[in-house]
Amino acid sequence: MIKEAGNQIHFVRQVLMVFFITLPLIMSGYLFPQKAAALNNGLAVTPPMGWNSWNIYGCNVDEDKIKQAADAAVSSGMKAAGYTYIVIDDCWQTSRAVDGTIIADPVKFPSGIAALASYVHSKGLKFGLYTDAGYTTCAGRPGMYGHEVQDAATFAAWGVDYTKVDWCDHGTLDPQTRYSIIRDAIANSGRPMLFSICNWGVNKPWIWGPVTGNIWRTTDDIFDFWGRVTWIIDQNAPLANFAGPTLGWNDADMLMVGNYGTGAVFGEGMTDTEYRSHMSMWAIMASPLIAGNNLASMNQATKDTLMNAEVIAVDQDALGKQGVLVSDVGGLQVYSKVLQTSGTRAIVLLNRECVIEYDGEFCKPWIELRGSS
Ligand code: GLA
C-alpha cells in the first residue's frame, strides 16, 4: 500500500514536471508554433534567392558595381540557377530633401536609383534596396523612422521589388510594432515588395515574423570564417518549426561563398570545403540564398558551389520544411529535411570535430549532401 501510494505520488510529480517543463515551450511557440497566416503578398513561397552588395563591397558600392553584378548574374548562369534579386545594401543614400524625400548618393549613383532598377529589370532580374527601421542605418545614413509611408512610396516609384530593413539606431523602439508599421506602408505603396526583416533575432522575429514579413534574420551578422558559420547554424537550426511556405523563412544571413577573405566584412576567409558546407547547411535549413561575392570574378569552385542544382533544389523544395538536427554524436551531426516527393529526404552529414585527416590538414569539416529515401 505504502509502495503503491509512493508510486502514485511519484507519477503525479512526474506529470507535473512534464507540465511545467513543456508549458513555457508551448507558450513561447517552440513546440507548437502558431500557424498564423503569413504576410499575404505571395512573394516568398520558397526561400528567396539573389545577390546583395554588402558582404563583398560594404559601403564601397556604386552604380557600376550593381550593373556588373546584374550582367554577371546573367552571364555566369546564376540567374538561370534561380538567383533573381539584385539588392543594394547600405550606403546608397546620403540625406533627405527639404520635403523629406530620401536622396541617393549623386556621385556613386549618378543615374539615380530608378534608372538602375530599370537596368536590373532589363536583364530579367528583380531589384532590391536596403533601409533601416530606426533613425539612421548601420552605416549612419538616413533611416526610415518617421518617413515610412514616404519612403515606401519612393521605393515603389523607383521600381523596388525587395526591401531589406535593418535595425540600427532603433532607440527604445519595439521591433514588432516598428516592422508592422513598415509592412503596412509597403502594402499601401501599391507595389509588391518582398519584405526582409533584418533585426538579428531581437525579440524572436520567428514568432511575429510570419504576419509581418517574408523573411527574418535570426542572428547577428555572418563573417567570413567557419566558426561564425557554425555559430549561426546552432542558433538557426532549432527554429525549424517557425518556417514554411505559409509562414516565411528563417534568414541565416547572406552567403559568404567565394569571398576568401577579400570581402568587406570581417574574416580571413574559408576553404572551398567550408564554403560548400556553409551552402549545404543553408540549403538544408531552407534559408534564403543571397550570394555575397563578386559574381564577375568567380572561380570554378565558387560557381560549382553556388550553382549546384541539387543543393538549390533542396533549399527550394516546394514542401518548404526546414531541415532539423536528428543526430549529434561527438560533433558528427546529421541534419534531415523532408522533401515534397513522398518518402524522400535530404541529408547533410556535418563533421564539427577534428576527427579525420582531410586533404593533409586536420580540423576541416566533412560534409555530404544527397537525397535519399
Ligand atoms: C547590419 C546588417 C548587415 C548589413 C549592414 C549594413 O549589420 O545586419 O546585413 O546590412 O548592417 O550597414
Side-chain angles (χ1 to χ4, degrees):
M1 277 294 271
I2 292 173
K3 195 168 172 225
E4 256 179 41
N7 280 348
Q8 274 174 7
I9 290 167
H10 185 64
F11 177 73
V12 170
R13 202 185 290 148
Q14 274 187 334
V15 168
L16 283 174
M17 260 173 65
V18 170
F19 179 74
F20 283 118
I21 289 170
T22 51
L23 187 66
L25 292 170
I26 292 169
M27 287 184 67
S28 62
Y30 275 87
L31 285 186
F32 305 106
Q34 296 160 353
K35 298 286 178 197
L39 174 66
N40 191 20
N41 63 7
L43 292 178
V45 179
T46 60
M49 294 176 65
W51 175 89
N52 173 300
S53 57
W54 186 254
N55 285 351
I56 179 72
Y57 300 128
C59 240
N60 194 16
V61 63
D62 61 37
E63 185 173 303
D64 289 342
K65 286 175 177 145
I66 299 300
K67 285 183 170 171
Q68 186 194 48
D71 293 347
V74 176
S75 61
S76 65
M78 287 286 282
K79 179 190 159 198
Y83 295 85
T84 307
Y85 293 98
I86 300 292
V87 184
I88 313 180
D89 208 279
D90 208 347
C91 299
W92 61 268
Q93 63 291 68
T94 50
S95 54
R96 291 192 180 274
V98 179
D99 71 355
T101 307
I102 187 95
I103 298 177
D105 185 329
V107 177
K108 294 194 162 175
F109 296 89
S111 311
I113 302 296
L116 194 49
S118 237
Y119 184 86
V120 169
H121 289 151
S122 75
K123 302 280 163 186
L125 294 159
K126 292 186 170 166
F127 179 73
L129 202 56
Y130 163 103
T131 181
D132 189 287
Y135 305 94
T136 58
T137 73
C138 295
R141 308 301 175 96
M144 243 192 167
Y145 187 81
H147 294 273
E148 299 82 7
V149 171
Q150 188 174 27
D151 285 0
T154 304
F155 279 29
W158 284 346
V160 172
D161 306 300
Y162 175 125
T163 186
K164 168 178 171 180
V165 184
D166 215 340
W167 188 236
C168 270
D169 196 16
H170 53 78
T172 54
L173 308 174
D174 154 56
Q176 183 174 3
T177 309
R178 283 297 300 142
Y179 284 101
S180 303
I181 291 169
I182 297 164
R183 169 202 61 201
D184 295 344
I186 293 169
N188 292 330
S189 76
R191 186 175 174 91
M193 285 179 227
L194 193 149
F195 186 18
S196 157
I197 296 170
C198 176
N199 83 324
W200 328 309
V202 176
N203 281 18
K204 301 189 172 80
W206 43 92
I207 290 176
W208 46 268
V211 292
T212 315
N214 295 111
I215 63 176
W216 45 88
R217 278 271 300 278
T218 55
T219 71
D220 205 340
D221 290 10
I222 192 167
F223 297 132
D224 200 358
F225 67 95
W226 175 246
R228 191 70 171 181
V229 168
T230 53
W231 178 81
I232 289 178
I233 292 168
D234 291 343
Q235 295 172 80
N236 194 69
L239 303 174
N241 275 342
F242 298 93
T246 61
L247 297 169
W249 309 101
N250 291 313
D251 179 1
D253 206 353
M254 302 167 296
L255 295 166
M256 203 50 81
V257 179
N259 276 338
Y260 301 105
T262 65
V265 304
F266 181 77
E268 73 281 6
M270 293 179 238
T271 64
D272 288 325
T273 309
E274 288 165 338
Y275 282 137
R276 267 202 309 279
S277 308
H278 161 32
M279 175 78 181
S280 298
M281 284 307 302
W282 263 229
I284 204 114
M285 295 192 298
S287 174
L289 298 177
I290 308 292
N293 58 311
N294 184 339
L295 300 183
S297 63
M298 287 188 279
N299 65 14
Q300 197 54 46
T302 300
K303 288 182 185 173
D304 291 347
T305 299
L306 287 175
M307 291 187 267
N308 183 312
E310 281 182 308
V311 176
I312 292 174
V314 168
D315 181 77
Q316 296 289 301
D317 183 75
L319 189 62
K321 287 261 180 214
Q322 178 174 329
V324 291
L325 177 65
V326 290
S327 165
D328 186 354
V329 181
L332 299 174
Q333 298 186 326
V334 181
Y335 292 85
S336 166
K337 181 183 200 283
V338 175
L339 302 174
Q340 188 184 37
T341 305
S342 174
T344 66
R345 62 184 65 218
I347 301 291
V348 169
L349 308 179
L350 179 66
N351 180 1
R352 297 282 295 263
E353 298 298 307
C354 309
V355 290
I356 47 166
E357 196 170 357
Y358 190 93
D359 286 346
E361 287 177 74
F362 286 97
C363 301
K364 295 293 178 209
W366 173 74
I367 196 160
E368 190 178 326
L369 180 97
R370 61 177 171 222
S372 65
S373 53

